[in-house]
Amino acid sequence: MYSDKVLDHFKNPRNVGEIKNADGIGSVGNPVCGDMMTMYIKVKDNHIEDIKFKTYGCGAAIATSSMTTELAKGKTLEEAMDITRQSVADALDGLPPVKMHCSNLAADALHEAIKNFKEKKEIKK
Ligand code: FES
């Protein structure tokens, strides 16, 4: 039912945790199941230098969070905004249809963290 990549990222999630003094933080909840996720980013020269996540959710949510952090690390903010639910699911060799809603959290939390970073920058100006 789950691809090897999903199982790998579920069992050994990458970039779990919190970044102290993060430049951007994004938190979202999944209205379908009530699970929650927070992404933390460090930004340098318009690139995502570091990224970590905390997920209170199912295995698919943890695997998609982990994959999202891997896809986003080192990318420009614009490239990271182009990471979608679908591209995360594709990078994991797909998710069972009933679990596709779980991939919403990761991409949305990433985008929220980038928006939060941009808002903070505006306020500083
Ligand atoms: Fe809630 Fe998967 S069941 S995110």
Side-chain angles (χ1 to χ4, degrees):
M1 180 160 159
Y2 287 112
S3 71
D4 289 345
K5 279 195 191 166
V6 173
L7 293 175
D8 175 36
H9 278 266
F10 171 55
K11 288 183 195 152
N12 309 295
R14 284 48 149 194
N15 306 307
V16 178
E18 192 178 325
I19 298 177
K20 300 272 177 235
N21 307 317
D23 295 320
I25 300 176
S27 290
V28 293
N30 192 329
V32 180
C33 61
D35 290 345
M36 304 239 326
M37 180 185 301
T38 304
M39 288 261 176
Y40 305 83
I41 55 170
K42 266 283 178 205
V43 179
K44 194 174 179 195
D45 299 333
N46 199 47
H47 284 73
I48 296 188
E49 190 185 37
D50 198 12
I51 177 164
K52 289 199 188 302
F53 77 91
K54 274 195 193 161
T55 294
Y56 303 92
C58 70
I62 290 168
T64 49
S65 316
S66 170
M67 179 53 90
T68 300
T69 61
E70 289 232 301
L71 291 174
K73 212 174 209 175
K75 294 268 185 351
T76 66
L77 296 180
E78 293 73 25
E79 287 165 343
M81 283 304 275
D82 283 341
I83 294 172
T84 63
R85 302 158 183 189
Q86 191 60 50
S87 55
V88 175
D90 289 349
L92 286 166
D93 293 337
L95 281 171
V98 67
K99 284 285 170 186
M100 273 307 283
H101 75 266
C102 309
S103 65
N104 296 359
L105 280 179
D108 288 354
L110 170 64
H111 298 163
E112 286 300 317
I114 293 170
K115 278 186 214 156
N116 178 244
F117 164 72
K118 288 185 174 167
E119 281 163 12
K120 281 188 187 170
K121 224 169 80 175
E122 281 302 308
I123 291 169
K124 269 191 201 162
K125 272 187 202 164

